Amino acid sequence: MAQSSQDVLLRTDFSDLELYASGKVRDLYRVDNDHLLFVATDRISAFDYVLATGIPNKGRVLTQLSLFWFDFLKDIVPNHLATADVDRYPQNVRKYAPALRGRSMLVVHADMVPIECVVRGYVSGSAWKEYKEKGSVCGIALPAGLRESDKLPQPIFTPSTKATTGHDENISFAEMKKIVGPMLSEQLRDLSLRIYQTAADYAAARGIIIADTKFEFGRTAAGLVLADEVLTPDSSRFWPADKYSPGRGQESFDKQYVRDYLERIRWNKQPPAPSLPADVAENTSAKYVEAYRQLTGRELQVQAA
């Protein structure tokens, strides 16, 4: 049965494929010994819980924007993408083509580095909370007198542990070196900062501030690769440059709009997670799609499922 562009995909059911992992947003299937199928649903999480309401076209934005950045950054760092052309997927996967088009990727199975590589160009979110208490972020001393959302003198690398459930935990660079070793830590720090600066300069020319973002890396037979999602509204804070005003929280293209709604209704951040009103879901969808359009100059590919 055909679905409209406003329908949402909350869960996948590919019964004859092996489910490898299911995260807050993505379902991963093992295709063969070397490849995984990444499927981005329209689930949305906030405050560590998946909400009952999906966001129309969210999975398509996450996938298609990641594909854009993989291509844009390929001269800086290789990535794990094999193909996003559903017609080139293995035969047993292609039969699910209507549900997969525009929201899936076939990727090379990578041995993932157990660190979230976070880069911050502005002081916001958890960094702002820590700065107010300690004057530093992840052990990095910052100048006194910064306001919320201020641009930092230079971007900083603030790694965190990766949590399959619950919240990632910020760690110092010294702690990261203990986990993955000094050489790889320095390589990932330098690479993350370079990727962030390249992307931030590009986005700035298109009216979007990338306040912060997180990258994931893994190893394949080809070496270190950029993996998972890249520079999306789920993994980054995107702010409209024409509305930027430091000293407060910013309007954004990301799920901060949903977080703000949940704060307004005074949800206690305990299960069960609430549903979202239709207008909040639709407005969030519009923000995601506009971020894609503004960054890529393209219209989102929306196929009937």
Side-chain angles (χ1 to χ4, degrees):
M1 182 176 176
Q3 294 179 313
S4 76
S5 63
Q6 295 307 299
D7 285 344
V8 298
L9 178 68
L10 290 180
R11 59 187 59 85
T12 59
D13 183 18
F14 306 141
S15 57
D16 59 342
L17 299 180
E18 178 189 348
L19 183 65
Y20 177 78
S22 183
K24 292 175 182 174
V25 175
R26 283 171 185 76
D27 292 338
L28 281 61
Y29 290 85
R30 189 191 302 275
V31 175
D32 55 40
N33 289 337
D34 299 318
H35 296 90
L36 297 174
L37 177 69
F38 272 42
V39 186
T41 71
D42 297 320
R43 298 191 294 262
I44 189 167
S45 67
F47 304 114
D48 301 327
Y49 291 97
V50 176
L51 305 186
T53 309
I55 304 300
N57 288 320
K58 178 174 176 284
R60 295 184 176 100
V61 170
L62 299 186
T63 299
Q64 294 175 41
L65 191 52
S66 291
L67 293 172
F68 168 81
W69 287 117
F70 278 145
D71 183 66
F72 183 83
L73 298 164
K74 63 187 178 183
D75 292 336
I76 296 177
V77 58
N79 58 70
H80 70 159
L81 177 68
T83 183
D85 182 351
V86 175
D87 295 327
R88 294 175 58 195
Y89 288 1
Q91 186 174 359
N92 66 325
V93 179
R94 286 201 302 272
K95 64 183 177 182
Y96 299 110
L100 295 175
R101 291 192 193 279
R103 63 164 74 247
S104 67
M105 300 184 290
L106 189 68
V107 305
V108 178
H109 193 174
D111 180 19
M112 298 299 292
V113 178
I115 295 291
E116 298 274 9
C117 292
V118 181
V119 180
R120 305 177 187 274
Y122 295 73
V123 59
S124 183
S126 64
W128 170 242
K129 292 178 183 177
E130 184 178 341
Y131 173 78
K132 286 191 296 182
E133 294 176 5
K134 303 178 181 179
S136 63
V137 176
C138 293
I140 301 172
L142 297 179
L146 291 177
R147 300 164 295 174
E148 182 177 7
S149 305
D150 263 338
K151 185 175 184 179
L152 298 172
Q154 61 187 25
I156 59 174
F157 179 71
T158 60
S160 70
T161 56
K162 288 166 60 173
T164 53
T165 60
H167 201 68
D168 299 337
E169 181 181 350
N170 293 341
I171 60 174
S172 68
F173 187 61
E175 290 173 292
M176 177 179 173
K177 289 194 286 187
K178 292 177 183 177
I179 296 171
V180 301
M183 187 176 298
L184 180 59
S185 296
E186 291 172 7
Q187 182 182 9
L188 291 177
R189 176 195 61 195
D190 295 348
L191 187 55
S192 297
L193 288 167
R194 184 181 176 194
I195 295 170
Y196 170 81
Q197 194 62 65
T198 301
D201 290 346
Y202 170 88
R206 283 150 183 81
I208 289 182
I209 294 170
I210 303 179
D212 55 46
T213 193
K214 63 181 179 181
F215 305 115
E216 293 197 42
F217 295 91
R219 290 190 183 89
T220 69
L224 193 66
V225 296
L226 185 60
D228 200 61
E229 66 177 306
V230 185
L231 292 156
T232 71
D234 267 18
S235 65
S236 318
R237 282 187 174 85
F238 291 154
W239 297 337
D242 60 350
K243 297 180 180 178
Y244 172 64
S245 178
R248 57 171 175 81
Q250 304 300 304
E251 289 191 38
S252 70
F253 290 107
D254 53 45
K255 60 184 177 182
Q256 189 60 45
Y257 182 79
V258 171
R259 295 190 193 101
D260 291 345
Y261 165 78
L262 295 173
E263 294 284 16
R264 285 200 306 275
I265 66 171
R266 293 189 167 90
W267 175 42
N268 63 4
K269 301 168 189 172
Q270 298 296 320
S275 299
L276 298 175
D279 65 315
V280 173
E282 293 293 339
N283 290 341
T284 303
S285 175
K287 287 174 177 287
Y288 273 67
V289 173
E290 180 57 29
Y292 175 83
R293 183 184 296 119
Q294 200 163 322
L295 285 167
T296 68
R298 307 169 186 167
E299 292 300 318
L300 187 71
Q301 295 179 20
V302 179
Q303 295 88 1

